[in-house]
Amino acid sequence: MKLYNIICCSIFLLLIPQVNAETTSLMQGAKSCFSGPFKSHEKWLNLLGQKKKKFNREMFAKRFPKEKFDTLKNNLECKDFVYKVDGHLIEGYYLKPKKPGNKKLPVVIYNRGGNGPFGYVVFGKKLGLIADLAMDGFIVIGSQYRGGSAKRINNNGRDEFGGADVNDVIKLLDVAKEIPEADTSQVGMVGWSRGAMQSYIASQSMPALKTIVAIAGNSDAEKALQWRPQMEKVYHGRIPGFKENRQAELTQRSVSKWISKLPAKIPLLLIHGDLDKRVNVEQSKSLAMILEKEQHPHKLVIYPEDNHGLRKHKTELKAEVAAWLKKYLSS
């Protein structure tokens, strides 16, 4: 099993935050991400070693060195919490600098990829781009989406892959208002893969959104299915009424069909690897062409010889996204 998948598996031993029925706070049961088996670098290593017989401790330590772990733990506050949307209990999380000074910090809503529990933002993933952005002075908040935690939370709802689950994203703006340092007048979104779709759809209900960063995302669901037909199973399994309303549901999930519904002139950063086998790079290229025609502000960045996870350009990716967010989010 690849190291990434090993890291992902570690989250399932993490205790879910408990909801306090008496509180009026939207953010319930908040607890530190750096707790339990993730309290220290050594505990994390031990957990992974116990779960995987062939776990390569040296390789893992090289990718996630103790120095990086300690730096992030010492400088960032990371919280897991539960919040209620449409009567369902949804898992969320946020990361922010521990010492922001006396100023408010802009907010970045991070929208994950995957569907259902696949793509769940595990502890290790929080220490990647999400933590990097928090270290750059942003409050990064995200949702695991309804249905992503169904095996661990009762009444977690059902993932509709761009349906009612988009409400879980929109609600994060209200949740962020409970973070004292958050400047919720300065909000951007970063969406990866399916998360790009979530960002586009959610933005229709968030007119004050300042910018969207879409990484390896689809823009035309019909063309995406032609290129990767196996995703049709996901659509049939996740989207209510997909068989009966196929075209309408695909259009709803295709930003290229309704550019005018985005917040007026919101700047978009499109990033893709040209060897992406999950989402064809043409999805970003074609969207960029539409945006160009509509004179909608945007930037297209294509990383050569790279895949869906952009493993070969992590440093460039982080710098590109951070620079873009700093340009359009101020506080």
Side-chain angles (χ1 to χ4, degrees):
M1 184 179 289
K2 295 182 179 180
L3 180 60
Y4 176 79
N5 292 329
I6 295 174
I7 296 169
C8 288
C9 291
S10 68
I11 192 65
F12 293 103
L13 292 183
L14 179 63
L15 295 176
I16 300 302
Q18 298 299 306
V19 177
N20 183 351
E22 298 180 356
T23 183
T24 58
S25 171
L26 295 175
M27 192 187 309
Q28 301 184 34
K31 60 175 293 185
S32 174
C33 309
F34 293 105
S35 62
F38 309 116
K39 188 174 183 178
S40 69
H41 191 261
E42 186 63 23
K43 284 181 176 291
W44 190 18
L45 277 172
N46 290 338
L47 170 66
L48 294 173
Q50 292 169 8
K51 289 183 67 65
K52 301 298 173 183
K53 293 181 180 179
K54 296 183 179 180
F55 175 61
N56 190 321
R57 193 180 183 95
E58 290 72 27
M59 185 183 296
F60 176 84
K62 183 177 181 180
R63 183 175 178 184
F64 282 102
K66 182 178 184 300
E67 293 75 13
K68 178 180 179 180
F69 179 95
D70 290 341
T71 296
L72 296 178
K73 182 179 179 181
N74 292 334
N75 289 279
L76 296 179
E77 176 179 290
C78 179
K79 295 284 188 180
D80 292 311
F81 59 87
V82 172
Y83 64 116
K84 200 169 187 178
V85 188
D86 300 336
H88 301 299
L89 296 177
I90 314 299
E91 280 189 273
Y93 59 89
Y94 74 79
L95 285 79
K96 73 175 185 66
K98 281 185 176 180
K99 299 178 181 179
N102 297 320
K103 67 175 183 177
K104 294 279 189 175
L105 300 177
V107 176
V108 174
I109 295 175
Y110 181 86
N111 295 321
R112 72 170 180 89
N115 65 92
F118 176 73
Y120 186 102
V121 181
V122 297
F123 179 72
K125 189 168 184 178
K126 290 170 189 168
L127 300 193
L129 177 62
I130 296 170
D132 288 337
L133 293 176
M135 289 290 286
D136 276 328
F138 298 100
I139 294 175
V140 187
I141 188 169
S143 174
Q144 303 288 11
Y145 309 148
R146 63 189 65 185
S149 316
K151 292 184 178 180
R152 301 180 296 284
I153 294 182
N154 292 327
N155 192 29
N156 184 229
R158 179 173 176 267
D159 185 4
E160 297 182 5
F161 203 78
D165 48 274
V166 174
N167 293 338
D168 305 341
V169 173
I170 297 170
K171 191 66 174 181
L172 287 175
L173 185 56
D174 290 330
V175 176
K177 293 176 181 178
E178 297 186 353
I179 303 174
E181 300 88 350
D183 182 354
T184 52
S185 70
Q186 298 293 324
V187 180
M189 281 189 181
V190 174
W192 201 313
S193 192
R194 174 258 184 94
M197 174 188 69
Q198 300 286 97
S199 299
Y200 295 139
I201 299 174
S203 74
Q204 297 178 69
S205 302
M206 304 173 72
L209 193 68
K210 300 297 184 182
T211 188
I212 294 175
V213 177
I215 306 171
N218 277 319
S219 59
D220 187 316
E222 183 69 62
K223 290 182 178 178
L225 282 178
Q226 292 173 11
W227 188 76
R228 193 184 177 197
Q230 58 266 40
M231 281 298 292
E232 183 127 4
K233 293 181 180 180
V234 174
Y235 283 26
H236 276 288
R238 297 289 182 198
I239 301 174
F242 180 73
K243 182 178 180 180
E244 298 78 13
N245 304 292
R246 176 191 174 90
Q247 195 55 54
E249 297 297 344
L250 289 176
T251 297
Q252 177 184 322
R253 291 159 176 81
S254 302
V255 65
S256 63
K257 306 294 185 182
W258 38 264
I259 291 292
S260 62
K261 292 184 179 182
L262 295 173
K265 300 301 180 182
I266 184 173
L268 305 181
L269 173 60
L270 311 178
I271 300 177
H272 223 118
D274 66 0
L275 295 183
D276 192 333
K277 293 182 179 180
R278 293 189 179 183
V279 178
N280 195 308
V281 66
E282 293 301 322
Q283 290 284 323
S284 289
K285 288 182 177 180
S286 61
L287 179 57
M289 292 177 64
I290 295 173
L291 294 169
E292 185 70 27
K293 181 179 180 180
E294 297 295 323
Q295 297 184 325
H296 193 111
H298 70 284
K299 179 180 180 181
L300 174 64
V301 177
I302 305 296
Y303 290 125
E305 305 295 315
D306 215 342
N307 60 16
H308 192 64
L310 299 174
R311 302 281 181 88
K312 297 179 180 179
H313 293 85
K314 291 237 178 249
T315 300
E316 295 90 338
L317 172 67
K318 182 261 181 184
E320 188 75 51
V321 174
W324 183 270
L325 293 174
K326 288 177 181 178
K327 179 178 180 180
Y328 292 104
L329 298 180
S330 59
S331 187

